[in-house]
Amino acid sequence: MVAMLAGSAASIDRALQATEAALAANAQRLVALDLLQQDLHSPAVIVDFRETLIRQTATLSSVISLSILDSQGHWTISSRFRIIPVIPANPRRPIWNAALHTPPSRSFVFGPGAPSAIDMKSFGVGRSARAADGRILGGALAFLSTDDIKRSFQAIDTEGGTVIASNPDGETLFALPSDTARIPAWARTRWNEERSEGGNSFEISDPEGHGWLVAVAASRDSPLVFTSIKSVDSVFESRRQFATTVFLSTAIALIATVTLFALWVRQQCLTHRKTLIAAAARERLISNLSLDPSTKLYNRAGLEKQLVQRDSVARPRALLMIGIDRFQEIAHALGNSTADQILSEVASRLGESAGPRCLAAHLGAGEFCVAQYDEDPEYLARKLLWTLSQPHRSTGRDLLFGVSVGISGGVQDLQAAQQEASAAMVRARAAGLGNLRWFDPALDRQIQDSMLIEQELRAAIGTDALYMDYQPILALETNRIAGFEALMRWKSASRGVVPPDVFIPIAESAGILLPVARMVRRSPLQAAAAWPQDIFVSINCPAYEFKDSSLPQRIRDQLRTTGVSAERCCIEVTESALLENDEIVLGVMRELKDIGIRLALDDFGTGHASLSYLRTFPFDRIKIDRSFIQGMNSDTTAAAIVNATLTLSRHMRLEVIAEGVETHEQLQRLKELGCDYAQGYLISRPLGEKDIQTFLGDFSAEPRPVADTPDEMKLVALQR
Ligand code: C2E
Ligand code: CA
Ligand code: CA
């Protein structure tokens, strides 16, 4: 009975996990649409999004339909209805309120009933979508069939008690033996306390003085709360069933070991007279808690317990983390029963290859861990890679999938070893599926560090922690400041000022390098509005942004709201190696030029095909990379390149900015060669926005670069 319950609990849990993954993906899509400034209500988006919802619904068991709410909470897209039915709105708006009050990283549940348009008994799970600046963008909803879910529990006899599945507000989603069961008003206060603690059991009297035993099980990771209620009088006669019911609630809510053990200890006190039977049941229960129901291997808690028990006798030589590649996708595509078959097949092959002295565990989601005591770890890893990637026969067809293996050899601290093996597995996977990697502290620290930076950076977007400094650009003919380049800065609370060379590539690979105006609270155009009318602002923009055809309109809007004229705005295309010669990119560039905006090719000379770019794309300026300028006076090749670039650009009527000018000699030489502009520490380091007016004042009083040597430069910087 207990194993059966654990099985149905696990299958519900999997159904919920898969549903939550689909919801998270849909919420993410709302965020992406917002970033790209695409309208959720546009017919093209609706058709495309709806197709995804239909496909997802087909792969999710128990899900009747998936829906999308817009930023006002209006039902906008549904997998079930091409045209959204008009239904009378509930004035309390319970679903929308749940969306507004639940962080986007967590799901909420609601129900039952839901829109009367869905003619099945259902309850719902939802997730809100929020922009980086906290704006609500809408929500993704899934309606699950109550009858379908309950079917998993039909075998349970509650023996006069009640099991209620509810949301954290105590609203019943479904219940046994009947859905009309509610959490009684007199138990609410206590219920709330225990629920927010993660769950517990307690005794309570109703207003008539009858005693009740209530067990609550909730998990931080799941929006479902399970409650079992039973009259104290019946507890003694049917303690076994009660234990079962308690187990059911707890197992589902995934707070297995701790709560259940506590419940059992209390239960023991309550029924101390029948200790013997209780002890047997407890043994069974604990062994169930240590085992993963789908593979019969240890689960995480079981593995840890075994490792600790063996620790005094033997230490493992290595921990291996083995992950089935793309397991979630396989489970989505082929269904839960196939996923279960795969898991048990992998488990049995793992058992055969690893040998009797190894400990094997399934940690969930297709990830296995082997503690290896005698063989050479790498030999075992290779054996596993080979054995596990042989075809698996399932319901008449061959299934092929790969695994990735990470190994940690440092098993002094078991918890650290598990983390290390996991990190190595992530790296093995990144190297292409079906690989093996040892934990490498230096590399993994790097990965870990960029992940931490990414997390912090996400939080910094749109706040004062990200801001712009401005580096002056000198016009060589007039010896006046002609413009400023806006350079992004990140002052992290824990790391101090992080250089853009570090955080920009991380932001980019994490997909969070947004257009400058969205990254910082005060945009370069807002700053430029306060400068003299003849001074331009140069803004860095990665090449891929030119693939977004809404870029010109966004810039036009910003120019209008700040009142800066387009002629004062220059866009520097960085990473020009990525520029694609396609219609969208060229169209965007032409549109920007039509508005009057200047385009500059950044880091000229370092890209792969910079010269051919000059012919293909309509640039107005090029910026010679500082490596050439700095080599100019000593390295004849660098000097020749600078010279040739200047000749070429005169020919093509392009303006040239020399970057990284640090000495007077370099500046002089550039003047002689007819270079238009210079930028570099000699003129000034990047300045804070508030220092610009003073700098301009000082500079026009003494309109020539003042510093020559690095020491002098520092002095000048200090004086400013
Ligand atoms: P970049 O666009 O080539 O910017 C010029 C870099 O050279 C700046 O570094 C600037 O401080 C530095 N520099 C200026 N004069 C001198 C000099 O005389 N000597 C030396 N050694 N360096 C000088 P920074 O601010 O660290 O920026 C590094 C790179 O990060 C930028 O190179 C650019 O590629 C990227 N970046 C900075 N801000 C942004 C931004 O807002 N958006 C994007 N997409 N990239 C940015
Ligand atoms: Ca630049
Ligand atoms: Ca540059």
Side-chain angles (χ1 to χ4, degrees):
M1 176 74 146
V2 170
M4 203 167 74
L5 287 172
S8 41
S11 88
I12 289 195
D13 185 49
R14 236 186 335 267
L16 263 186
Q17 269 182 21
T19 308
E20 290 193 86
L23 291 175
N26 293 337
Q28 203 55 45
R29 183 155 176 185
L30 286 173
V31 176
L33 285 171
D34 176 65
L35 288 181
L36 298 171
Q37 298 198 327
Q38 284 184 8
D39 183 6
L40 176 64
H41 300 89
S42 86
V45 170
I46 290 186
V47 168
D48 198 48
F49 211 151
R50 184 163 177 257
E51 271 175 19
T52 312
L53 299 185
I54 294 172
R55 268 202 310 276
Q56 288 171 336
T57 312
T59 62
L60 295 170
S61 58
S62 309
V63 169
I64 308 169
S65 78
L66 292 168
S67 293
I68 299 298
L69 304 181
D70 68 8
S71 58
Q72 307 296 311
H74 298 310
W75 196 14
T76 308
I77 312 177
S78 157
S79 62
R80 199 173 173 84
F81 305 102
R82 198 167 62 79
I83 295 165
I84 302 292
V86 181
I87 47 160
N90 179 342
R92 282 195 307 121
R93 307 197 76 188
I95 302 179
W96 188 234
N97 275 323
L100 291 177
H101 294 110
T102 312
S105 55
R106 299 188 51 173
S107 307
F108 54 89
V109 292
F110 56 89
S116 50
I118 296 179
D119 46 8
M120 263 190 241
K121 265 211 295 191
S122 64
F123 70 96
V125 186
R127 229 171 230 251
S128 64
R130 282 182 187 274
D133 60 13
R135 266 176 308 121
I136 182 106
L137 302 173
L141 309 178
F143 294 92
L144 288 91
S145 154
T146 310
D147 291 338
D148 225 39
I149 298 264
K150 274 175 67 180
R151 216 161 287 137
S152 317
F153 291 114
Q154 242 151 32
I156 302 165
D157 180 358
T158 57
E159 283 281 313
T162 311
V163 180
I164 300 170
S166 71
N167 66 11
D169 292 336
E171 187 185 9
T172 303
L173 304 169
F174 59 89
L176 292 170
S178 149
D179 283 336
T180 52
R182 296 282 175 272
I183 293 157
W186 39 263
R188 273 306 176 103
T189 313
R190 193 62 200 281
W191 181 87
N192 258 323
E193 285 166 16
E194 301 297 350
R195 175 193 55 80
S196 51
E197 291 293 310
N200 217 332
S201 74
F202 57 92
E203 257 194 273
I204 190 164
S205 299
D206 66 17
E208 271 107 60
H210 299 297
W212 297 84
L213 196 56
V214 182
V216 191
S219 147
R220 260 175 238 301
D221 301 328
S222 161
L224 286 181
V225 181
F226 289 86
T227 307
S228 88
I229 306 174
K230 193 146 182 132
S231 136
V232 170
D233 306 337
S234 62
V235 166
F236 293 96
E237 287 88 305
S238 56
R239 323 173 359 275
R240 219 177 61 80
Q241 282 80 1
F242 176 71
T244 309
T245 313
V246 171
F247 177 70
L248 158 72
S249 356
T250 318
I252 299 166
L254 289 179
I255 47 164
T257 328
V258 182
T259 313
L260 204 69
F261 199 75
L263 281 178
W264 262 97
V265 171
R266 285 177 182 223
Q267 192 70 14
Q268 297 308 299
C269 303
L270 219 81
T271 59
H272 63 278
R273 280 169 297 165
K274 301 185 180 172
T275 342
L276 268 180
I277 316 168
R282 189 178 145 201
E283 269 311 301
R284 223 176 32 238
L285 210 60
I286 287 174
S287 88
N288 266 297
L289 285 176
S290 303
L291 290 183
D292 167 51
S294 49
T295 57
K296 308 283 181 289
L297 297 178
Y298 291 114
N299 57 22
R300 192 182 292 276
L303 174 70
E304 274 161 16
K305 210 158 65 193
Q306 290 296 320
L307 284 171
V308 171
Q309 268 174 17
R310 286 197 190 184
D311 197 42
S312 53
V313 189
R315 277 254 154 100
R317 283 183 64 179
L319 280 194
L320 279 70
M321 199 66 74
I322 301 129
I324 303 178
D325 295 334
R326 299 198 232 244
F327 180 71
Q328 297 291 11
E329 287 168 49
I330 297 175
H332 277 186
L334 304 178
N336 285 332
S337 68
T338 312
D340 276 349
Q341 271 180 27
I342 293 177
L343 288 178
S344 67
E345 174 88 20
V346 168
S348 82
R349 290 187 193 185
L350 205 69
E352 282 163 24
S353 306
R357 290 233 318 136
C358 288
L359 283 175
H362 178 225
L363 308 180
E367 285 187 13
F368 295 82
C369 182
V370 172
Q372 188 266 328
Y373 286 84
D374 29 32
E375 227 171 342
D376 168 22
E378 189 155 334
Y379 173 73
L380 174 60
R382 294 204 181 281
K383 194 156 78 175
L384 290 174
L385 275 178
W386 189 83
T387 322
L388 297 179
S389 54
Q390 296 310 300
H392 297 248
R393 205 139 182 90
S394 154
T395 50
R397 55 184 165 166
D398 275 346
L399 282 178
L400 265 173
F401 52 84
V403 297
S404 301
V405 182
I407 314 173
S408 161
V411 280
Q412 294 309 313
D413 173 351
L414 292 171
Q415 210 162 12
Q418 279 192 39
Q419 278 171 5
E420 290 175 3
S422 286
M425 187 188 75
V426 170
R427 228 158 28 77
R429 207 167 256 171
L433 304 182
N435 262 301
L436 118 81
R437 285 285 181 280
W438 280 86
F439 172 71
D440 172 341
L443 265 180
D444 289 271
R445 207 173 307 122
Q446 228 174 36
I447 294 178
Q448 219 175 25
D449 204 45
S450 8
M451 268 159 37
L452 289 176
I453 292 186
E454 183 197 317
Q455 291 304 320
E456 273 188 53
L457 191 55
R458 270 180 201 277
I461 290 176
T463 71
D464 289 330
L466 279 170
Y467 58 92
M468 290 300 195
D469 270 357
Y470 296 88
Q471 188 176 33
I473 298 172
L474 180 75
L476 293 181
E477 204 180 347
T478 59
N479 234 7
R480 290 179 165 277
I481 298 302
F484 288 88
E485 176 179 3
L487 294 160
M488 206 184 303
R489 299 289 177 255
W490 176 29
K491 198 185 242 161
S492 141
S494 62
R495 296 164 197 272
V497 178
V498 183
D501 292 339
V502 173
F503 75 83
I504 287 191
I506 292 177
E508 210 181 326
S509 68
I512 51 171
L513 183 61
L514 309 180
V516 169
R518 287 177 166 228
M519 294 290 280
V520 293
R521 182 160 276 173
R522 192 165 155 80
S523 76
L525 284 178
Q526 283 173 315
W531 306 342
Q533 291 297 310
D534 56 346
I535 288 189
F536 69 81
V537 61
S538 214
I539 301 169
N540 289 289
C541 184
Y544 63 80
E545 269 193 51
F546 289 82
K547 286 182 91 62
D548 177 0
S549 53
S550 69
L551 177 70
Q553 187 54 47
R554 272 191 280 130
I555 295 187
R556 227 183 264 132
D557 291 345
Q558 287 170 40
L559 289 170
R560 202 186 45 238
T561 50
T562 53
V564 174
S565 72
E567 290 67 28
R568 291 179 57 206
C569 175
C570 174
I571 296 186
E572 298 187 9
V573 187
T574 55
E575 299 164 86
S576 49
L578 293 178
L579 262 188
E580 279 177 43
N581 180 9
D582 71 15
E583 275 316 304
I584 296 190
V585 172
L586 279 171
V588 165
M589 285 189 157
R590 287 201 199 101
E591 217 179 317
L592 289 171
K593 287 198 54 147
D594 288 345
I595 306 172
I597 287 168
R598 307 278 147 80
L599 295 179
L601 178 57
D602 205 353
D603 304 333
F604 183 76
T606 59
H608 298 289
S610 304
L611 266 182
S612 68
Y613 281 139
L614 291 180
R615 274 201 7 218
T616 316
F617 302 103
F619 286 108
D620 304 276
R621 288 185 181 139
I622 51 185
K623 297 191 76 171
I624 307 183
D625 188 69
R626 68 163 179 265
S627 53
F628 299 105
I629 306 301
Q630 289 175 353
M632 202 168 57
N633 293 335
S634 52
D635 170 357
T636 47
T637 320
I641 289 175
V642 173
N643 208 343
T645 308
L646 284 162
T647 313
L648 179 82
S649 55
R650 248 194 313 277
H651 202 72
M652 298 182 75
R653 294 179 203 290
L654 295 171
E655 291 182 327
V656 178
I657 302 178
E659 290 191 317
V661 179
E662 290 185 358
T663 67
H664 215 78
E665 220 181 339
Q666 290 162 353
L667 188 77
Q668 200 49 44
R669 186 90 189 95
L670 287 163
K671 270 186 184 166
E672 285 161 18
L673 292 172
C675 182
D676 304 279
Y677 301 101
Q679 177 183 354
Y681 292 170
L682 176 68
I683 298 135
S684 165
R685 290 192 174 246
L687 304 165
E689 191 190 332
K690 62 175 179 16
D691 298 325
I692 289 181
Q693 299 293 355
T694 324
F695 173 82
L696 286 173
D698 291 355
F699 204 91
S700 51
E702 172 75 41
R704 58 176 31 251
V706 270
D708 208 341
T709 67
D711 283 348
E712 263 180 77
M713 260 162 43
K714 269 188 226 139
L715 203 68
V716 171
L718 281 176
Q719 282 166 354
R720 291 201 176 110

